[in-house]
Amino acid sequence: MDTSSRRSTLTVTLCFIVALIEGLDLQSAGIAAAGIRQAFELDQKMMGWMFSASIIGLLPGAFFGGWLADRIGRKRVLIGAVILFGIFSLWTAYVSSVNGLLLARLMTGLGLGAALPNLIALCAEAVEERRRGTAISIMYCGVPLGGAIAAVVGMLGGESWQMVFIVGGVAPLLVAPLLIFALPESRDFREQHQSAAPARESTVQALFGGGRAGATLALWVSYFFTLTVMYMLLNWLPSLLLEQGFSKPQAGTIQMLFNIGGAIGSLLGGLLLDRRGRTGVVLFAYGGVLASLAGLGFASGMLAMAIAGFAAGLFIIAAQLVLYALAPPAYPTSVRATGVGAAVAVGRLGSVSGPLAAGQILAAGAGTAGVLLAASPGLVIAALVVIGMSRRRAAEAPATSTTSH
């Protein structure tokens, strides 16, 4: 294995480890929801705010994490983000007031948000363009696998809701020194900064200049609607299952299957993207999400719900992976992390509105089917926008390949 391949493998492996911990932390609130609700005596609307606090932090975290990475490097920002979400995840386990809980989740979200655009940029820039989808999918399958680990920790922790936050806080603080000494900085970023680079573009120019306005807006719309549904499921699925009469171990099993399906969906999405036409992959992923949402809404027995949960995880993560793989090639190296970070940040608006909307719909008495039905139109819009963007990109392929490096 040559030096370049070793660097690529090391980068993707270390990013996978961070994604694993990020997945655990992202789902910790959903796993611990029943315990938190009881400990702090929260109603459904306040539970919606508790879920959304960390997601609100994800928005500025993603935007500024990407923006800063184009200035001081992907590696530095990633390490800072990992330390930040480690400290505040740990703090979540020891808060004694609702305000303290919301602040701890907000700050955890800030760190988690800053990490993701850098994980995507590092993996995209570690390999040649024809392998980008696969590299990003290997890294990103760590997120649902981390969620599966969170479900296991939640089950092993028994009545102790704090356990998942303690594990989610200690793990990143142990990994941070490994990143400091072993993670290579992106070669594209280093070359960009060593060359006599032109004057830096403003954020508006980075996102909308050079003919990038159409791609930027398409990414924003599709990220918004896809992440609305994903975070609705991540945060509310355990609670919805308990309300439908499933036991805590059954709900934990379905949540684990959702995440295992997600890991398979991530790998499948990346491999298909690098080998098949984008339109077919998008139709496959989003069609599957709609079908599995119907399954979650109308399944009654444990077996049917387990299959629906597995399918929902597989297809929603495959859809999200398609978006994460489409973003880096849309921007040149000098503004790549800014472009990816902005798309992720706009997607986070959907992540915030998803759990809040679910809380309001449930409070109005619409039930699980009502929540899942409300999510469907946005997914259709996201799929159509991604297909339109893919076709436009295919038509401009020669121009895109020149500006991507």
Side-chain angles (χ1 to χ4, degrees):
M1 193 185 281
D2 60 26
T3 311
S4 175
S5 296
R6 276 200 301 272
R7 285 174 63 89
S8 300
T9 305
L10 183 60
T11 298
V12 174
T13 303
L14 289 172
C15 287
F16 167 82
I17 292 168
V18 176
L20 195 72
I21 300 166
E22 172 140 346
L24 191 154
D25 274 320
L26 280 169
Q27 294 197 38
S28 54
I31 300 296
I36 292 172
R37 186 174 184 171
Q38 198 173 3
F40 292 94
E41 299 176 346
L42 304 178
D43 61 19
Q44 283 180 319
K45 285 185 182 178
M46 276 309 295
M47 285 298 289
W49 279 109
M50 189 277 294
F51 289 140
S52 292
S54 62
I55 303 165
I56 291 167
L58 292 170
L59 199 159
F63 183 80
F64 288 109
W67 178 85
L68 196 59
D70 282 332
R71 282 148 181 79
I72 67 170
R74 284 82 163 109
K75 177 178 174 174
R76 285 181 186 175
V77 178
L78 180 62
I79 291 165
V82 167
I83 292 169
L84 185 67
F85 74 71
I87 289 169
F88 284 98
S89 179
L90 200 55
W91 188 34
T92 306
Y94 297 101
V95 292
S96 55
S97 68
V98 174
N99 287 340
L101 176 69
L102 295 176
L103 180 61
R105 300 316 297 149
L106 180 76
M107 295 303 293
T108 304
L110 204 64
L112 292 168
L116 188 56
N118 287 287
L119 291 172
I120 295 169
L122 279 163
C123 289
E125 292 171 354
V127 298
E128 54 201 32
E129 193 165 355
R130 65 186 175 83
R131 291 171 55 217
R132 271 183 182 161
T134 304
I136 293 170
S137 73
I138 290 168
M139 174 278 291
Y140 194 72
C141 80
V143 174
L145 285 176
I149 293 169
V152 173
V153 172
M155 285 192 276
L156 294 177
E159 296 305 307
S160 170
W161 62 266
Q162 293 95 335
M163 183 57 67
V164 72
F165 295 111
I166 293 169
V167 174
V170 170
L173 297 177
L174 292 176
V175 165
L178 182 64
L179 299 177
I180 292 167
F181 294 110
L183 180 66
E185 178 57 276
S186 155
R187 189 179 63 238
D188 287 10
F189 174 82
R190 283 188 291 106
E191 287 173 359
Q192 178 78 25
H193 276 248
Q194 283 163 4
S195 65
R200 186 172 295 284
E201 293 180 80
S202 71
T203 304
V204 174
Q205 287 172 322
L207 298 173
F208 299 103
R212 295 187 288 270
T216 293
L217 291 172
L219 286 168
W220 286 7
V221 169
S222 52
Y223 271 55
F224 177 87
F225 285 116
T226 306
L227 269 74
T228 296
V229 177
M230 181 177 169
Y231 276 82
M232 195 181 275
L233 288 172
L234 286 181
N235 286 300
W236 278 102
L237 188 58
S239 301
L240 291 173
L241 291 168
L242 292 173
E243 284 180 18
Q244 283 178 276
F246 291 96
S247 68
K248 195 179 175 188
Q250 285 177 322
T253 302
I254 294 166
Q255 181 84 355
M256 196 158 55
L257 286 168
F258 174 87
N259 286 291
I260 292 166
I264 295 168
S266 175
L267 289 172
L268 192 62
L271 290 168
L272 288 174
L273 265 183
D274 284 344
R275 288 162 178 74
R276 297 278 182 271
R278 286 196 178 102
T279 303
V281 179
V282 171
L283 289 172
F284 168 73
Y286 282 93
V289 177
L290 289 167
S292 55
L293 284 182
L296 284 173
F298 300 109
S300 51
M302 178 61 190
L303 179 62
M305 189 60 83
I307 292 167
F310 176 83
L314 189 148
F315 289 113
I316 194 72
I317 301 293
Q320 195 177 8
L321 189 278
V322 169
L323 300 183
Y324 287 161
L326 282 175
Y331 301 95
T333 303
S334 58
V335 296
R336 183 168 293 136
T338 301
V340 174
V344 172
V346 172
R348 298 308 184 195
L349 289 171
S351 328
V352 173
S353 61
L356 283 175
Q360 298 289 343
I361 293 166
L362 287 169
T368 305
V371 170
L372 299 173
L373 192 65
S376 303
L379 289 169
V380 176
I381 294 168
L384 292 174
V385 168
V386 176
I387 289 168
M389 178 189 169
S390 301
R391 287 186 171 168
R392 185 182 165 198
R393 282 270 303 283
E396 298 170 354
T400 305
S401 61
T402 341
T403 56
S404 290
H405 296 290

